[in-house]
């Protein structure tokens, strides 16, 4: 299209008018897209930017025209955070602290231009802008005339829409007359922020119709749809004639789909009105549309480039808030008319999938008979099961309830009509189509996952000598950190400061004192390997050089190890400079290792802790003083503990705790010896079966406070004190007697505590006297003195794109990782749709209050409050003071301002039927957007540790798979069955794991209406293709990578032990402190840390508890939780590790729930034909679940279990077929892309097509053709299959289906 750039040209002219001063002079040349292009370059195509670790196709400039930065300013920003992140932030409209709630006046002008281009009346505006529109009127007329010409030639749709229309024309060919056509007249949201602006009338703070109520508030815009939540009952419908539909879907005849689609594309006026124009004399009725380019395949340098799919949204005008919602999550894909945004011109980075979502809440209530559904008497068995019939002439389709209707085959164009405007459906549909994409493209998975990279952190005390890393040193507290810290901080090859300077080069600035400063972040210092950090001197010395030790500075050693001066005892999210320390806050040295553990939490059911894995543990920690009973007597007992002879404490041949750390038992005369770590002392003072009865009895005789005091003394002890440690600690005298608060110097010593579960009336040792079931009290446990919570980088939350790659193809791996294949995962969302349940309690959810105090928020299901209502909140002094400072300030600022009319309180959800909704929501910026510095620190530490050049990426593959489950006690009143049979952590071998994944049982959680089978791995019931394809890919993923999979519990342990998400929060702390071999199930089983769950006899029957796999033991708690807790043996009672001890009848009922669900789900897979599309191990499993056996094999049959081994999978014909199928499909995809490119270039060579030639040059299309030709040669070469070994391949069953239509190629989109 030759005139599609008119808006940019007109905007340039408008900006130029405003840039001219009174004398007619112009400021420096205007620039678009943050680059160096001057006005002479406007209209030139923009080649996609290569973006490491972000989406490659980053298009949109989301800044307002008045905020466009000159090239030099953009260059500074890109140097600071990288071009990748700069474009990423622009694409989602993120402005951080600079965000305001003010409307961009230049964006207003842009909207009026687009309205005029669509043939609509611009909104009333200033005389200056009206004069401008008259100036550009000839350009508008020319554009509209050319649109008319294009329409007459059938070229009136953008390339993506042409692909969608071609699919509809093919799929609905011969079905009841002409095929419905996508709308030509569209208001395209081609830059972030348009949808937000258009969701409210110009100059007004409220818009309301039958579908939604929207309000401009102090923090952004709050949108309250008619329905405050989604339902899953009867919602998921699939059009007949494509890929097979699972039994949980309703199968819809093509004729019904065609008629629903026709109505979807003809919304009523009230729904079709663009809110921005609602108060104008002639409101605009138009479809608002959006292009998304969500990530599908993460990049693997040297193996596969990053690939995205494309998704087009069509919504009636009044639903623009839905577009604001999805573009805020996934980013704006820019103008779909432009060649630079035509995915088919970039087959290197496009999966070949074009999705479509049409929002149509007005199709509810359509007549079933008029849609062409049969009378019940003529309906077949499937139609009767699905309710696809009518009995009475006035019966409604789907009983008038909400639904989503998906049409798809194997050709890569999934289309869904959503008959509801609740926001969650839109996000879920993008997720659903990404799952479809992963299956038809191959090699990747779309996973329902949470995750983080957890960097273990340690309290280094007052003095830390960096030369003591990895070894025992007489100087500083690092001597007491032990073997775990030594392993976690070790390097393959030690590095020096010279290595840092050589590696980081121009990215750092050398200082005369002999250290360097990060140019992007001046608060990151690089210091030599001999640095000594001293809190008493507040200095960092290296050789004869010294610099000040300061808070809010990260000091990075050549090994990548990080040291910081932090305030222990404070849980504030941020601390203001110069803020006074509280009574129990004290500055400490914190050390953080260079390499973190990438903890992946997929297939996690609702309420299972998917988000908790990446949440701050700090909010759970409480601090207080260290108490002594009688300081003199207590110290006498502690001296006896330190001096005791521990040489004869073992009852057998077990290795002594001293020897485990390489220390000779006979050499230790006191536990204060520098060679003895805190961890060794914890082991010596915790009961173990391997100890003599005498030693265990002695351990149990030690009072709890004495044990903790001994660890406090050890942590603060200095080797130079010798035996005279007592004189450094004291208590004050109170009323002539010794007090109880222990001090070191002039400062109180500090203990930290964390909640793990709750007390209730069922506790054996410390029961609550109140006998009501809902009365609970915290159970807290003391953390180790040298413990600091992990530094976490949130990497996943809900929608994850992942790929499995052979180890040899991943360049720069951590040398400690030696698995055969690894999973690389990436979060797809820039913003997360959070439900802040706890925010109703002012001050409790600090993160939500901080987020919702900022401008620019997308908020849903909160109550818009006027000044009178906010004043009442403020006048409640006691309640108002509970809010955190940011929320207090936001409410006060609102009261002191004149506009807007409304404000949101984080503690006041929307009222539905007079009650607060249980589903308040807002979009939270992901951590990779809000804390780029943290990711920079994490990446730089690993880069230094592995000595990876700046030109190469730093791969951090998944190191552990830690799923989550939700447990509940039986609730007969609400028909919730028992599901409380798991202890805190279980390990499953693959057959039992896939029984768990397939059934995906969940207990009652805050986000579900009940308990049952949820589909956390398969995404059922949202999945638009058979769920077996996800299971096939997952089995290959686990088999070829060799990941051992563990599942942690949330909710309750047994019927009587509530734990909420406490275990979910603790698991990252424990797992990140385990060595690589210790995370192996084989190691854990061999060393007694896991026990196999065996069948249990009860009331004369055998309970098949073997379905629970393996569970952690008391030894696991003492050994691994001992790296977190001061007294690990007290954390979990015996009836938590063995829940059957709480109530055997309820345990039996829970096992029955599992086995009955397994049977029901397995039977469904067999009966609907899904089992026949399953890979052989899964097919056998489905039959065993349903019938107890398959071809004579049972669950424990060695022959059956051998099918699941890596060797059996990779050597099988069915796995080789997956690789061959991917080779075929990838070859065809590249050929289609090559032809599209070649045709485009050929057509541009006509003499008159100057624009086509320019696009070919700007986008480098001829070079792309050469790259695609080269890639095609590699794919078609016989050696290509070898490179695929250890990957997922693609499922041949998808393309072998009778109605896959893969043999009916779609017509390519026409040229621009």
């Amino acid at each position: 299209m030759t005139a599609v750039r008119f808006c940019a040209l007109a905007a340039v002219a408008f900006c130029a008018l405003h840039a001219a001063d009174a004398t007619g002079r112009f400021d420096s040349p205007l620039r678009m897209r943050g680059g160096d292009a001057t006005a002479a370059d406007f209209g030139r195509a923009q080649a996609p930017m290569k973006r490491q670790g972000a989406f490659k196709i980053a298009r949109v400039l989301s800044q307002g025209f008045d905020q466009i930065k000159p090239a030099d300013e953009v260059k500074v920003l890109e140097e600071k955070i990288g071009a990748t992140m700069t474009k990423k932030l622009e694409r989602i409209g993120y402005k951080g602290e600079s965000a305001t709630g003010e409307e961009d006046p230049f964006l207003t002008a842009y909207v009026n231009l687009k309205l005029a281009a669509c043939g609509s009346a611009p909104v009333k505006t200033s005389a200056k802008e009206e004069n401008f529109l008259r100036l550009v009127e000839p350009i508008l007329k020319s554009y509209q005339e050319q649109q008319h010409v294009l329409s007459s030639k059938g070229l009136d749709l953008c390339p993506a829409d042409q692909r969608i229309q071609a699919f509809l024309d093919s799929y609905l060919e011969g079905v009841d007359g002409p095929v419905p056509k996508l709308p030509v007249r569209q208001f395209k949201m081609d830059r972030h922020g348009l949808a937000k602006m258009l969701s409210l009338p110009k100059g007004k703070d409220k818009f309301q119709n039958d579908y939604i109520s929207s309000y401009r508030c102090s923090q952004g815009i709050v949108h309250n749809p008619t329905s405050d939540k989604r339902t899953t009952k009867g919602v998921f419908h699939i059009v007949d004639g494509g890929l097979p539909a699972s039994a949980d879907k309703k199968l819809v005849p093509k004729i019904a789909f065609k008629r629903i689609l026709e109505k979807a594309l003809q919304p009523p006026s009230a729904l079709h009105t663009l809110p921005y124009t609602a108060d104008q004399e002639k409101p605009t009725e138009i479809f608002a549309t959006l292009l998304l380019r969500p990530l599908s395949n993460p990049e693997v340098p040297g193996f596969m480039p990053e690939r995205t799919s494309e998704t087009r949204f069509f919504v009636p005008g009044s639903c623009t808030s839905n577009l604001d919602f999805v573009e805020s999550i996934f980013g704006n894909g820019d103008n779909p008319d432009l060649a630079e945004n035509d995915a088919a011109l970039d087959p290197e980075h496009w999966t070949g999938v074009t999705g479509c979502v049409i929002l149509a809440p007005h199709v509810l209530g359509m007549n079933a008979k008029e849609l062409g559904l049969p009378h019940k008497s003529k309906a077949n068995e499937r139609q009767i099961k699905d309710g696809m019939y009518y009995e009475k002439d006035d019966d409604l389709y789907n009983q008038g309830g909400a639904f989503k209707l998906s049409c798809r085959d194997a050709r890569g164009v999934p289309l869904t009509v959503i008959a509801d405007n609740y926001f969650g459906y839109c996000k879920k549909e993008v997720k659903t189509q990404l799952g479809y994409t992963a299956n038809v493209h191959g090699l990747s998975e779309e996973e329902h996952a949470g995750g983080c990279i957890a960097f273990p952190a340690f309290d280094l005390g007052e003095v830390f000598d960096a030369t003591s890393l990895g070894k025992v040193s007489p100087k500083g507290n690092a001597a007491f950190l032990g073997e775990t810290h030594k392993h976690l901080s070790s390097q393959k090859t030690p590095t020096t400061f010279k290595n840092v300077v050589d590696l980081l080069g121009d990215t750092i600035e050398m200082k005369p004192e002999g250290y360097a400063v990060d140019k992007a972040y001046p608060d990151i210092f690089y210091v030599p390997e001999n640095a000594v950090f001293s809190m008493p001197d507040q200095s960092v010395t290296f050789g004869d050089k010294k610099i000040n030790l300061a808070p809010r500075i990260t000091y990075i050693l050549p090994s990548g190890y990080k040291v910081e001066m932090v305030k222990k005892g404070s849980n504030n999210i941020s601390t203001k400079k110069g803020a006074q320390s509280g009574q129990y806050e004290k500055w400490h040295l914190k050390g953080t290792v260079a390499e973190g553990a990438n903890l992946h939490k997929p297939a996690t059911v609702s309420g299972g802790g998917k988000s908790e894995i990446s949440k701050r543990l700090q909010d759970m920690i409480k601090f207080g003083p260290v108490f002594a009973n009688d300081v003199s007597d207590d110290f006498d007992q502690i001296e006896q503990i330190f001096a005791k002879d521990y040489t004869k404490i073992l009852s057998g041949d077990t290795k002594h705790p001293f020897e485990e750390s390489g220390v000779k038992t006979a050499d230790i005369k006191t536990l204060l010896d520098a060679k003895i770590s805190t961890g060794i002392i914890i082991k010596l003072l915790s009961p173990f079966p391997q100890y003599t009865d005498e030693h265990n009895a002695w351990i149990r005789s030690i009072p709890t406070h004495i044990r903790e005091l001994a660890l406090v003394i050890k942590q603060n002890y200095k080797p130079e004190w010798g035996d005279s440690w007592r004189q450094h600690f004291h208590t004050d005298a109170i009323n002539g007697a010794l007090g109880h608060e222990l001090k070191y110097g002039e400062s109180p010593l500090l203990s930290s505590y964390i909640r793990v579960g709750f007390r209730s009336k069922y506790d054996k040792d410390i029961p609550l006297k109140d006998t009501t079931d809902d009365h609970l009290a915290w159970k807290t446990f003391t953390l180790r003195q040298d413990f600091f919570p992990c530094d976490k980088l949130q990497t996943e939350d809900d929608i994850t794109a992942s790929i499995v790659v052979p180890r040899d193809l991943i360049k720069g791996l951590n040398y400690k990782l030696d698995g055969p294949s690894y999973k690389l995962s990436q979060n797809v969302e820039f913003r997360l749709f959070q439900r802040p349940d706890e925010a109703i309690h002012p001050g409790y959810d600090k993160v939500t209050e901080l987020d919702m105090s900022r401008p620019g928020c997308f908020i849903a299901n909160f109550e818009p409050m006027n000044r009178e209502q906010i004043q009442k909140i403020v006048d409640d002094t006691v309640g108002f003071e509970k809010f955190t400072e940011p929320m207090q300030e936001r409410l006060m600022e609102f009261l002191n301002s004149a506009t807007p009319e409304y404000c949101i309180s984080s503690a006041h959800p929307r009222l539905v039927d007079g009650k607060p909704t249980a589903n308040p929501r807002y979009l939270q910026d992901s951590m990779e957007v809000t804390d780029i510095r943290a990711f920079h620190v994490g990446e730089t530490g690993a880069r230094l540790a592995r000595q990876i050049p700046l030109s190469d990426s730093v791969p951090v593959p998944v190191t552990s798979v830690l799923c989550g489950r939700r447990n509940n006690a039986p609730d007969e009143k609400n028909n919730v069955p028992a599901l409380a049979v798991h202890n805190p952590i279980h390990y499953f071998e693959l057959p039992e794991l896939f029984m768990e994944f397939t059934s995906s049982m969940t207990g009652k959680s805050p986000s579900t209406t009940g308990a049952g089978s949820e589909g956390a791995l398969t995404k059922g019931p949202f999945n638009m293709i058979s769920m077996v394809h996800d299971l096939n890919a997952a089995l290959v993923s686990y088999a070829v990578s060799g990941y051992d999979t563990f599942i942690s519990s949330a909710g309750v342990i047994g019927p009587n032990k509530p734990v909420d998400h406490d275990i979910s929060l603790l698991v990252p702390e424990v797992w990140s402190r385990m060595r690589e071999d210790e995370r192996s199930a084989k190691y854990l089983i061999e060393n007694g840390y896991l026990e196999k769950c065996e069948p249990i006899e009860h009331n004369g029957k055998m309970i098949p508890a073997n379905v629970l796999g393996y569970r952690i033991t008391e030894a696991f708690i003492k050994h691994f939780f001992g790296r977190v807790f001061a007294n690990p043996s007290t954390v979990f009672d015996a009836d938590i590790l063995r829940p059957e001890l709480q109530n055997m009848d309820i345990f039996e009922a829970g096992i029955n729930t599992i086995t009955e669900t397994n049977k029901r789900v397995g039977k469904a897979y067999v009966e609907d034909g899904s089992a026949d599309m399953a890979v052989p191990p899964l097919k056998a499993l489905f039959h065993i679940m349903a019938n107890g056996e398959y071809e004579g094999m049972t669950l424990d049959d060695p022959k059956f279990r051998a099918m699941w081994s890596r060797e059996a999978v990779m050597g099988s014909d069915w796995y080789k077929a997956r690789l061959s199928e991917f080779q075929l499909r990838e070859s065809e995809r590249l050929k289609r892309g090559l032809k599209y490119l070649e045709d485009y270039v050929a057509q541009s060579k006509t003499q008159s097509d100057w624009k086509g030639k320019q696009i070919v040059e700007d986008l480098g299309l001829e070079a792309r053709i050469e790259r695609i030709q080269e890639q095609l040669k590699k794919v078609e070469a016989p050696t290509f299959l070898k490179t695929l070994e250890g990957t997922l391949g693609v499922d041949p069953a998808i393309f072998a289906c009778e109605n896959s239509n893969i043999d009916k190629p779609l017509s390519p989109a026409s040229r621009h």
Side-chain angles (χ1 to χ4, degrees), residues 165-179:
Q165 189 63 57
F167 168 73
L168 288 172
D169 291 344
S170 171
Y171 201 89
L172 295 176
E173 183 180 6
V175 179
D176 188 38
V179 176

Side-chain angles (χ1 to χ4, degrees), residues 699-775:
I699 291 172
R700 294 186 179 95
S701 71
I702 302 173
T704 300
H705 79 281
I706 295 294
R707 185 195 316 268
E708 294 182 7
L709 277 176
L711 296 174
V712 169
I713 302 301
K714 174 67 175 179
Q715 174 67 12
N716 290 276
Y717 175 77
K718 305 292 184 297
E720 56 266 29
W721 294 350
D723 295 332
S724 303
W725 57 267
R726 296 177 69 138
Q727 66 191 49
H728 298 276
F729 304 91
H730 68 274
T731 60
D732 292 334
I734 302 175
N735 296 325
L738 287 176
H740 301 284
E741 185 179 86
L742 190 63
K743 291 186 173 182
Y744 167 52
E746 298 302 319
S747 302
L749 287 163
L750 198 66
S751 273
S752 53
Y753 310 87
I754 191 169
R755 185 189 77 193
V756 185
F758 299 85
R759 291 178 59 206
S760 70
K761 66 179 183 180
Y762 298 105
D763 274 2
K764 180 179 179 181
D765 298 323
I766 45 172
L768 284 175
K769 293 183 179 180
D770 190 315
T771 58
T772 56
D773 285 330
D774 58 352
H775 186 193

Side-chain angles (χ1 to χ4, degrees), residues 1287-1304:
T1287 70
L1288 303 186
V1290 71
D1291 195 345
I1294 295 173
F1295 308 98
C1297 295
E1298 180 181 356
N1299 292 317
S1300 74
N1301 297 329
I1302 196 66
D1303 58 340
K1304 300 175 183 178

Side-chain angles (χ1 to χ4, degrees), residues 652-671:
D653 296 331
T654 308
K655 183 178 286 189
H656 195 284
F658 291 162
E659 295 173 354
E660 289 179 4
S661 298
V663 178
K664 292 183 179 180
T665 307
D667 292 345
I668 302 302
K669 306 303 180 186
T670 173
L671 296 186

Side-chain angles (χ1 to χ4, degrees), residues 70 166 604 697 998:
T604 296
T998 302

Side-chain angles (χ1 to χ4, degrees), residues 829-843:
E829 302 165 90
F830 295 125
R831 293 187 175 95
L832 313 172
F833 198 33
Q834 300 288 31
R835 189 190 63 238
D837 298 319
E838 301 300 331
I840 59 173
H841 307 293

Side-chain angles (χ1 to χ4, degrees), residues 506-727:
D506 292 339
T507 66
I508 60 175
E509 179 184 353
M510 284 297 302
K511 295 295 183 181
E513 295 86 350
Y515 71 103
V517 176
D518 195 300
K519 287 183 179 178
Y521 298 95
D523 54 359
I524 298 176
F525 290 5
Y526 301 92
V527 296
E529 61 275 15
N530 62 341
V532 177
F533 300 81
S534 173
M535 281 295 308
D537 298 337
Q538 208 161 331
S539 67
V540 184
T541 59
F542 26 90
D544 58 354
K545 303 291 179 64
K546 178 185 289 190
I547 59 175
N548 287 335
L549 174 66
R552 290 173 288 276
I553 299 289
T554 300
Y555 301 89
I556 303 183
L557 293 162
S559 64
Y561 194 89
K562 286 90 68 176
V563 180
E564 295 170 292
M565 173 183 170
V566 299
K567 192 181 290 185
K568 200 168 187 179
S570 173
N571 284 337
N572 292 332
I573 294 176
S574 59
T575 56
K576 295 180 179 179
K577 188 174 182 179
Q580 186 174 1
S581 296
Q583 183 181 5
Y584 299 115
E585 295 179 351
K586 185 181 178 183
W587 291 103
H588 284 240
L589 290 174
K590 171 186 167 184
T592 308
V593 302
E595 298 277 8
N598 189 347
L599 308 178
H600 179 54
K601 194 162 190 172
T604 296
V605 298
S606 296
K610 171 175 59 65
S611 298
E612 277 69 23
I613 195 170
S614 60
K615 286 186 176 178
R616 284 164 38 102
L617 189 73
Q618 288 88 329
D619 293 338
M620 296 289 294
I621 298 175
K622 305 298 180 184
F623 296 90
V626 174
F627 289 111
N629 186 20
D630 180 299
V631 67
S632 180
D633 289 346
D634 289 350
F635 281 7
D636 288 344
Q637 293 184 61
I638 291 170
E639 279 196 327
Q640 293 176 20
I641 291 173
F642 288 157
K644 179 179 170 61
D645 179 6
Y646 293 93
T647 59
K648 299 178 180 180
I649 63 173
L650 298 177
S651 60
D653 296 331
T654 308
K655 183 178 286 189
H656 195 284
F658 291 162
E659 295 173 354
E660 289 179 4
S661 298
V663 178
K664 292 183 179 180
T665 307
D667 292 345
I668 302 302
K669 306 303 180 186
T670 173
L671 296 186
L672 293 175
D673 190 305
K675 295 186 288 293
I676 301 302
S677 67
T678 299
I680 291 178
I681 297 178
I682 290 173
K683 287 183 182 179
L684 292 173
L685 303 185
S686 299
F688 273 95
Q690 295 85 349
Y691 292 158
T692 63
D693 292 341
E694 180 184 4
H695 185 64
N696 279 328
W698 175 77
I699 291 172
R700 294 186 179 95
S701 71
I702 302 173
T704 300
H705 79 281
I706 295 294
R707 185 195 316 268
E708 294 182 7
L709 277 176
L711 296 174
V712 169
I713 302 301
K714 174 67 175 179
Q715 174 67 12
N716 290 276
Y717 175 77
K718 305 292 184 297
E720 56 266 29
W721 294 350
D723 295 332
S724 303
W725 57 267
R726 296 177 69 138
Q727 66 191 49

